[in-house]
Amino acid sequence: MVVHAPPLGVGACGCWGSMGRWMSAPSPPLSPVSFLFLLLLATPRAWASGYETCPVVQPDMLNVHLVAHTHDDVGWLKTVDQYYYGIKNDVQHAGVQYILDSVVSALLAEPTRRFIYVEMAFFSRWWRDQTNATQEIVRNLVHQGRLEFANGGWVMNDEAATHYGAIVDQMTLGLRFLEDTFGNDGRPRVAWHIDPFGHSREQASLFAQMGFDGFFFGRLDYQDKLFRKERREMEQVWRASASLRPPSADLFTGVLPNNYNPPEGLCWDVLCADQPVVDDPRSPEYNAKDLVSYFLKLANIQGQYYRTNHTMMTMGSDFQYENANMWFKNLDKLIKLVNMQQANGSRVHVLYSTPACYLWELNKANLTWSVKEDDFFPYADGPHMFWTGYFSSRPALKRYERLSYNFLQVCNQLEALVGPAANVGPYGYGDSAHLNEAMAVLQHHDAVSGTSKQHVADDYARQLAAGWGPCEVLLSNALAKLSGSKESFSFCHFLNISVCPLSQTSAHFQVTIYNPLGRKVDWMVRLPVSEGLFLVKDPSNKTVLSKVVELPSSDNPELLFPASVPALGFSIYSVTQVPVWRPQARPPKPWPQKFGPSVLSIKNEYLQATFHPDTGFLRTIEVLDRKLVLPVSQAFFWYNASTGDKQSDQASGAYIFRPSREKPFPVSHWAQTHLVKTALVQEVHQKFSAWCSQVVRLYPGQRHLELEWTVGPIPVGDKWGKEIISRFDTPLKTLGSFYTDSNGREVLKRRRDYRPSWELNQTEPVAGNYYPVNSRIYITDGKTQLTVLTDRSQGGSSLRDGSLELMVHRRLLKDDARGVGEPLLESKSGVWVRGRHLVLLDTACDAAAGHRLLAEKELLAPQVVLAPGGGPSYHFGAAPRTQFSGLSRELPPSVRLLTLARWGPETLLLRLEHQFALGEDSRHNLSSPVTLDIRDLFSTFTITRLQETTLAANQLRASASRLKWTPETGPTAHLTVPRLDPASITLQPMEIRTFVASVQWKVSS
C-alpha cells in the first residue's frame, strides 16, 4: 500500500491510506538509538532547504561536481521484486534494498558526502521497512541536502511510448510520497532522465509545469552531441511548448558528459574492475599521482564543452552502491588528492555535489542561453544504430497499458463522484491505489517501451491485471449506489476477440455503459451473442434499433446497437433474446475470391470508401458534405529485419530498428474481401494472408474510417525476422514533411532526413526517419489533410511524399546487443495482436477539430459493464436509476477533464485542460481561451474550498517559484498567477490547471 501525502493543512502525525482514509502512523517499538544517530543530531545543521544547503564552490576555479548516484531500473532484466530483493543475481547482480541500506550508512560516516536517489517505486518500499530511528536519520540527511531526490517520480518514465496523462499520474504519485514523507525538504528541484532513449518536447513541458528548475539527461544522438560539444551548447533553454506563454514551458536542459556513467577508469563499485585509489607511496601498487594527473586532464577537457567554470561527473551507474563504502572511500581520496594540487597551481576544485547544486551554480552565472524548440528524437548511438524499434515493440503490452489508463480514469472518477461508498460496499473493499501503482510502474522506460526480458514483460502485465481487480470492486460498489440496484456485475475483458460469457449465454441481461468524457457520447455497442434476434431497450424503456451481425472472421455473431451516454455518467440498456425458428445447421461462410463483379464500397451520410475491384485494397476516401475526394491506397508490408551486414553488425532488436533494405515486401498483392452491410454498420473484411487481416468499418454518423487490423503469429520459419507496417499512399504533395504528436498532446512537424538544430548525416533512410506516434500522425499539402489515429504507441514515418506508415508488430530472431540478451520473439498472447487505426480526411483548416476530439474519445472510450439484471435495491423502496451524469452541464469541446480523483478523506484532485493548441482551430473557435464556472459543475458533491497547485499537486501555485533564465530570444515576461475564482476558471490553449478541492458529498448521490 502506498503512503500518500496529506492535503494542505494536515499535520505530520499521520498519513493518508491508499484510499484516502485517515490512519494513524504505525509506531513500532523504538530500537536503541545508535551512536551514529546521536552524532548526526549533534552535528550543526544547515536548516535551510533547497539550494541553501549546497556546498561551497571556488569562484576562480573549475569546479567539478561529483554526483554519487545509482540508476535502478523498475524492471528490465529482472522483475521489480527481483531487483528490490536481490533475487536472481545470476541474471544481474542487483539488490536495491541493500543499496539504500549501504548508502545511508556511508553518508553517516562522513558529513561531506552526498547522494541522489530517483525511483520512488523502490524508495517507498524500502522506507516502509525501516524503523522509526532509521527514518529519522534519513529525514535529517534529506534536510541537510546530503540525500537529495532527483526527478522523484514513481519511475523514470519513457518519453516515446508514454501518454502525457499517464506521465502526470506517475509523477504525481512519486512526488506526493516525497511531500508526505519529507515535506518541502524532499521536493526535487531537478528532473533527471539519464536513461530514456530519446527525449520528447512534451516531457520537458510537463516538467516545467510541475515546477522543476532544470532537466538533465544522458542519451543524446551521437551526431547531435558532437555538434553541441563543438558549439558549447551542451546546456540551453528548452522552449517546450508552441502554445504556452514563455517561460511557462521553458526548462533549462543539460546533457550529461558521459551518459550517466563514471569517467573511464574511475568506477569504484563492486560491479567494476577499475583499480582503487592507492595513496600510500610505500605500496608497490601506488597509483595516486597518475590518477590525479589523469583526472585533472579529464576535468579540463570536459570543462571545455561547457560554458561556465562548473562541470558535472556522474559517479555511479546501474544498481551501483550496494557496497557504498567502496565508492565513497575512493571518492574521498580522489577529492582530497586533487584539491591538494591547488597548492601547486592547479585551478581545479572537486566536491561532492548534486544536480540541483550544480544547476544553482549555473543559474548564478547569469548567462544568456541558446533556445531549443524541437525535440531529441530519434536517438542513435552510432551509424546504423537508431533506437526507433522500441516505438512499436511488444504492441500487446502497449495496448494493455493504454486500456489500463482508461480503466484507471474510470475508477478514479467513480471513486471521486461516489465518495467513501465506492470503497466499502456490498461487493467488498475496492480502491484505485493498486492500479495507480501498476500503471506508474508501466511508464518505466523499459516497461511500456517493450525493452525488457520476456518474463519481466509478463510480470508487468501481471501487475496491471492485479490492479484491475480492486478497481472492478470499486466500480461495482459505485454503480450499485448510483443506479440503486445491486447487480452481479460482469466485466468482459475479451471483447476484442468477441468473447463475453454473460452475453453469449444469457437470454436476458443489462448493459451499463459509463462515459468518462465531459461531454455526451454516442457509441456503437458490440457484444458477442448466441444466434437469434434480440430486443434492446434504452434507459427510457424505448426500443432501440439493433442488429445481430454474422462475421466471416469469427464463429461468434455480434449484437450491435447505438447507445447515448451522458457526460461523466452512465446509461443502462436492457437486452432480451427473442425466440425464433432456427435452421438445423449453419451454412459455412466462405471467403470470396479475389475478383468481384463490381467495385466494393461502404458509405454513410458523411463518408464513402471504395475498394479496388482487382486487389481488394482501399482505393479512395470521399467526404461527401465537403466534396473532398482523395485516392488512398492502404495495404500491409514487412521489412526484413537486419541481422548485420558489411556496413555494420547491428541487428534489429527490441530497441533498434534496422531493415535489411529500404523497400519493404508486400504481405500480399491482393486481399480476399467480404462485404457486410446493415443499417448499423458497413464493413469490408480483408484477408491479406493467413496471419494478416483487416476490417474496414463505417458506422452511421461517423466522420472517420475505422481500420481494425489483426496481425500474427508472424511467420519466421524462413529465418527472417519481420517488422510489419500498415502504409497509406496518396498523391498529396507533402514536400518531405509530416506531423506526429508528442506524448499525445502537442504536434511537431517532421522532415525526412533532417534535424532542425543540427546537420544530419543520414545512414539509415528508413529507421532514421521513424518517430514515436503516441496518438496520431498526419500528412498535408496545406489544403487537404489525412490523419491516422492510433490506439497505442507505434513508430511511424512518411518515407516518400504523400505516404505515411505505422509499424504494428515486430518479431525478430536476433538480439540487438543493448543488454536485454534475448531476441524480440514474443510468445503466448503477444504473438497475435489486434488494433485499430482511425482515418480522418478533412480540409487542413478543419482537421484539428476532428482529430483532437476523436483522439480524446478513443483514449477515454466508454466502459461497458454487464449484469443479468433484476438485482435487489441498494436502498429499500428506492426506484432504480437507469441514467446518470456526474456533471450538471457538459464541458465545452475544447476542455478535457484530465483528472478527477480522490486526494484525501474529504478532498479531490481536479485537473482541467485546454486540449487545443494555439491557432490550431480558428474556424470553430476551439483554440480560443475558455472560461468555466466550476462551483456547481459536479452533481454528486459541493466544492467547499479550492486551492490551485502546480501540475503534480505538490506545491501551491501562488507560492511556487522557479529559477529564472535568460534565453537568447530575449527576456521573458513575468507571469502572474491569476486570482483564483471558482466562478471564472480560464484556460489558455494547451494549459492545464490543477486544483485540490475540499468537498461535501450530497446525500442524494
Side-chain angles (χ1 to χ4, degrees):
M1 181 185 72
V2 65
V3 179
H4 291 299
L8 300 166
V10 174
C13 58
C15 60
W16 295 118
S18 60
M19 287 314 305
R21 296 184 301 152
W22 178 254
M23 303 178 298
S24 60
S27 301
L30 281 174
S31 58
V33 180
S34 67
F35 171 76
L36 284 174
F37 183 31
L38 291 171
L39 180 65
L40 180 66
L41 291 176
T43 303
R45 300 191 188 195
W47 283 108
S49 63
Y51 300 107
E52 293 169 341
T53 63
C54 288
V56 176
V57 299
Q58 298 297 325
D60 57 345
M61 294 186 181
L62 173 63
N63 293 273
V64 182
H65 295 247
L66 302 184
V67 175
H69 79 105
T70 179
H71 174 59
D72 296 345
D73 289 304
V74 186
W76 180 39
L77 308 183
K78 305 198 295 188
T79 68
V80 180
D81 286 76
Q82 289 167 354
Y83 272 136
Y84 179 75
Y85 289 109
I87 299 169
K88 290 189 177 295
N89 279 347
D90 57 324
V91 174
Q92 183 182 11
H93 187 96
V96 175
Q97 60 174 336
Y98 308 122
I99 292 172
L100 290 168
D101 289 342
S102 182
V103 164
V104 170
S105 297
L107 290 177
L108 292 173
E110 167 54 52
T112 63
R113 294 173 177 174
R114 292 172 182 256
F115 192 83
I116 66 166
Y117 199 75
V118 177
E119 296 86 4
M120 293 307 103
F122 285 134
F123 188 87
S124 64
R125 180 182 293 199
W126 177 84
W127 179 260
R128 293 195 302 268
D129 292 340
Q130 305 311 302
T131 65
N132 284 3
T134 300
Q135 288 183 352
E136 185 61 22
I137 289 172
V138 174
R139 283 194 182 96
N140 278 276
L141 289 172
V142 172
H143 188 78
Q144 294 180 3
R146 294 169 57 202
L147 175 60
E148 179 179 295
F149 297 103
N151 213 67
W154 204 245
V155 300
M156 185 186 294
N157 64 259
D158 178 54
E159 299 187 39
T162 43
H163 188 271
Y164 73 96
I167 294 173
V168 171
D169 285 350
Q170 79 87 12
M171 288 298 300
T172 301
L173 183 63
L175 292 172
R176 190 176 188 189
F177 166 79
L178 287 174
E179 175 68 20
D180 176 61
T181 309
F182 302 104
N184 192 54
D185 289 342
R187 179 169 65 84
R189 269 62 175 179
V190 165
W192 183 256
H193 267 207
I194 55 177
D195 197 25
F197 329 121
H199 305 280
S200 74
R201 194 176 75 175
E202 189 60 36
Q203 179 75 62
S205 176
L206 296 176
F207 278 151
Q209 295 173 68
M210 289 173 189
F212 285 101
D213 286 325
F215 176 33
F216 293 101
F217 65 77
R219 295 190 185 274
L220 176 69
D221 185 280
Y222 73 104
Q223 293 183 53
D224 192 3
K225 190 170 187 176
L226 289 172
F227 173 82
R228 290 178 179 280
K229 282 183 173 182
E230 291 173 1
R231 298 189 56 174
R232 299 181 77 196
E233 287 190 355
M234 295 287 277
E235 295 160 336
Q236 60 184 168
V237 171
W238 195 350
R239 182 147 294 162
S241 173
S243 294
L244 298 176
R245 186 182 179 190
S248 298
D250 286 4
L251 188 64
F252 185 88
T253 302
V255 182
L256 297 173
N258 197 38
N259 279 8
Y260 57 90
N261 300 309
E264 185 178 351
L266 303 180
C267 183
W268 293 305
D269 193 79
V270 293
L271 302 175
C272 302
D274 294 342
Q275 297 300 311
V277 180
V278 181
D279 54 348
D280 182 356
R282 297 170 299 178
S283 171
E285 302 296 334
Y286 175 73
N287 63 0
K289 183 178 180 180
D290 289 342
L291 267 177
V292 168
S293 176
Y294 170 69
F295 183 87
L296 289 172
K297 180 180 179 181
L298 191 72
N300 283 302
I301 292 173
Q302 182 175 303
Q304 294 174 11
Y305 303 130
Y306 294 84
R307 295 182 58 204
T308 72
N309 63 322
H310 295 270
T311 190
M312 178 165 39
M313 291 186 183
T314 46
M315 308 307 280
S317 193
D318 291 2
F319 298 99
Q320 294 196 0
Y321 285 79
E322 192 170 311
N323 180 355
N325 180 63
M326 187 172 173
W327 251 116
F328 280 117
K329 190 167 187 176
N330 284 278
L331 289 175
D332 289 345
K333 291 181 178 181
L334 179 71
I335 291 171
K336 178 183 177 181
L337 291 168
V338 171
N339 289 343
M340 284 173 59
Q341 295 304 307
Q342 295 169 13
N344 299 325
S346 169
R347 309 307 297 165
V348 174
H349 179 69
V350 193
L351 66 155
Y352 283 116
S353 188
T354 67
C357 293
Y358 172 72
L359 182 75
W360 174 238
E361 297 301 331
L362 299 187
N363 184 259
K364 288 192 296 183
N366 199 27
L367 300 179
T368 298
W369 301 92
S370 63
V371 175
K372 180 179 178 66
E373 296 184 346
D374 57 315
D375 64 3
F376 291 95
F377 284 118
Y379 162 63
D381 56 356
H384 313 289
M385 300 172 183
F386 283 90
W387 296 49
T388 54
Y390 80 97
F391 300 162
S392 309
S393 295
R394 301 196 189 280
L397 183 64
K398 283 178 164 63
R399 178 58 180 162
Y400 193 16
E401 182 274 338
R402 191 64 57 88
L403 286 171
S404 298
Y405 175 80
N406 175 300
F407 196 57
L408 177 59
Q409 304 317 305
V410 171
C411 188
N412 284 337
Q413 289 177 7
L414 285 170
E415 191 173 24
L417 290 170
V418 174
N423 304 130
V424 181
Y427 304 89
Y429 180 79
D431 68 22
S432 59
H434 294 82
L435 186 55
N436 195 19
E437 287 191 21
M439 272 295 295
V441 168
L442 261 291
Q443 306 317 305
H444 169 59
H445 57 269
D446 285 307
V448 70
S449 58
T451 54
S452 68
K453 282 186 176 289
Q454 182 65 55
H455 81 279
V456 180
D458 294 341
D459 188 68
Y460 288 137
R462 178 199 62 79
Q463 292 183 60
L464 288 177
W468 277 62
C471 267
E472 289 178 357
V473 174
L474 187 151
L475 260 67
S476 299
N477 287 332
L479 292 175
K481 180 171 174 59
L482 292 173
S483 68
S485 181
K486 293 185 283 188
E487 303 290 344
S488 297
F489 293 111
S490 176
F491 297 83
C492 295
H493 298 144
F494 303 108
L495 288 177
N496 67 321
I497 56 172
S498 298
V499 173
C500 181
L502 181 60
S503 64
Q504 290 174 291
T505 59
S506 301
H508 177 81
F509 57 92
Q510 68 179 37
V511 183
T512 301
I513 307 149
Y514 179 83
N515 169 26
L517 291 177
R519 287 168 295 285
K520 177 179 77 75
V521 68
D522 295 319
W523 192 259
M524 188 65 71
V525 178
R526 297 182 74 116
L527 294 170
V529 293
S530 58
E531 291 180 281
L533 298 177
F534 290 82
L535 179 66
V536 180
K537 293 193 174 182
D538 69 9
S540 302
N541 206 35
K542 295 179 180 177
T543 301
V544 175
L545 178 64
S546 63
K547 179 69 176 176
V548 174
V549 179
E550 300 276 350
L551 303 176
S553 56
S554 171
D555 291 330
N556 299 327
E558 292 187 349
L559 171 68
L560 276 67
F561 65 89
S564 181
V565 192
L568 211 67
F570 63 76
S571 294
I572 299 177
Y573 287 74
S574 66
V575 179
T576 305
Q577 190 171 27
V578 179
V580 293
W581 174 85
R582 299 182 183 181
Q584 290 283 325
R586 293 171 57 189
K589 299 172 292 183
W591 280 90
Q593 295 303 307
K594 172 182 171 184
F595 299 105
S598 61
V599 175
L600 284 175
S601 70
I602 53 178
K603 180 180 179 181
N604 68 6
E605 60 268 46
Y606 298 118
L607 287 179
Q608 177 168 302
T610 61
F611 297 78
H612 198 284
D614 293 336
T615 64
F617 294 172
L618 178 66
R619 185 164 72 172
T620 61
I621 302 176
E622 181 177 2
V623 184
L624 301 172
D625 59 340
R626 292 179 182 163
K627 297 181 173 54
L628 190 62
V629 181
L630 183 67
V632 182
S633 175
Q634 184 273 334
F636 291 90
F637 299 82
W638 60 275
Y639 290 106
N640 178 27
S642 176
T643 57
D645 56 24
K646 293 180 180 179
Q647 286 184 306
S648 169
D649 59 1
Q650 181 62 60
S652 251
Y655 300 93
I656 306 293
F657 170 38
R658 188 177 182 228
S660 62
R661 67 174 198 172
E662 291 183 36
K663 186 177 180 181
F665 299 90
V667 170
S668 176
H669 293 284
W670 59 279
Q672 295 177 348
T673 57
H674 181 90
L675 179 64
V676 174
K677 278 195 176 184
T678 74
L680 293 180
V681 70
Q682 295 189 18
E683 299 176 341
V684 172
H685 293 245
Q686 300 169 305
K687 187 174 183 179
F688 297 89
S689 73
W691 53 271
C692 181
S693 61
Q694 181 170 260
V695 180
V696 183
R697 183 177 292 130
L698 194 56
Y699 292 118
Q702 189 171 277
R703 284 192 169 273
H704 66 274
L705 208 57
E706 178 180 315
L707 277 60
E708 184 181 72
W709 45 267
T710 303
V711 174
I714 300 172
V716 291
D718 54 8
K719 304 302 181 182
W720 282 14
K722 298 176 179 66
E723 319 202 42
I724 316 304
I725 63 167
S726 173
R727 195 176 77 191
F728 300 78
D729 294 311
T730 77
L732 290 176
K733 300 185 185 304
T734 52
L735 304 178
S737 298
F738 59 105
Y739 299 79
T740 64
D741 69 285
S742 181
N743 299 108
R745 204 149 190 263
E746 295 197 42
V747 173
L748 279 76
K749 182 178 181 178
R750 312 295 191 181
R751 280 175 53 190
R752 276 194 309 280
D753 301 328
Y754 175 78
R755 304 291 186 264
S757 54
W758 49 282
E759 187 175 341
L760 170 69
N761 175 27
Q762 183 63 275
T763 58
E764 289 288 329
V766 177
N769 283 305
Y770 256 63
Y771 289 87
V773 178
N774 204 273
S775 64
R776 76 208 77 184
I777 180 172
Y778 66 80
I779 52 175
T780 179
D781 63 0
K783 297 178 181 179
T784 302
Q785 180 171 316
L786 182 72
T787 307
V788 180
L789 277 68
T790 66
D791 65 351
R792 73 203 74 193
S793 292
Q794 296 174 330
S797 187
S798 174
L799 298 178
R800 60 187 185 192
D801 279 3
S803 176
L804 65 83
E805 63 185 60
L806 289 157
M807 187 175 290
V808 298
H809 205 352
R810 326 174 65 215
R811 200 174 187 201
L812 310 172
L813 301 176
K814 190 173 180 179
D815 177 56
D816 56 11
R818 291 305 183 278
V820 174
E822 62 184 32
L824 188 67
L825 191 63
E826 291 193 86
S827 59
K828 303 177 184 176
S829 58
V831 168
W832 183 82
V833 180
R834 175 168 290 167
R836 295 191 309 150
H837 288 149
L838 308 181
V839 182
L840 280 163
L841 177 63
D842 215 330
T843 60
C845 58
D846 288 311
H851 72 70
R852 284 286 179 195
L853 298 178
L854 184 58
E856 181 193 28
K857 189 176 176 181
E858 171 67 21
L859 179 72
L860 295 176
Q863 184 68 39
V864 177
V865 183
L866 272 59
S873 295
Y874 190 90
H875 293 296
F876 180 74
R881 177 162 48 182
T882 56
Q883 198 163 52
F884 161 82
S885 176
L887 297 181
S888 58
R889 56 189 173 276
E890 292 190 0
L891 294 176
S894 55
V895 176
R896 178 188 164 195
L897 179 64
L898 179 59
T899 305
L900 178 63
R902 286 283 290 282
W903 193 247
E906 296 177 350
T907 55
L908 302 179
L909 182 63
L910 171 65
R911 289 191 183 95
L912 295 166
E913 166 193 6
H914 197 308
Q915 60 179 344
F916 280 79
L918 183 68
E920 190 173 49
D921 180 89
S922 56
R923 180 167 299 192
H924 308 280
N925 211 32
L926 295 175
S927 287
S928 299
V930 60
T931 300
L932 303 172
D933 181 354
I934 66 170
R935 290 174 298 178
D936 60 347
L937 178 62
F938 298 94
S939 65
T940 65
F941 57 81
T942 301
I943 297 175
T944 60
R945 187 184 183 210
L946 197 67
Q947 293 181 297
E948 185 164 12
T949 69
T950 51
L951 181 58
N954 65 332
Q955 301 175 71
L956 287 174
R957 185 180 178 190
S959 57
S961 63
R962 297 201 296 142
L963 296 180
K964 294 177 175 57
W965 305 88
T966 304
E968 64 183 7
T969 52
T972 54
H974 175 69
L975 299 179
T976 58
V977 178
R979 185 178 69 88
L980 182 56
D981 179 6
S984 181
I985 302 292
T986 299
L987 294 167
Q988 301 294 332
M990 280 290 142
E991 183 179 17
I992 303 172
R993 295 185 68 177
T994 305
F995 307 92
V996 173
S998 299
V999 302
Q1000 288 183 349
W1001 283 277
K1002 299 175 182 177
V1003 176
S1004 60
S1005 67

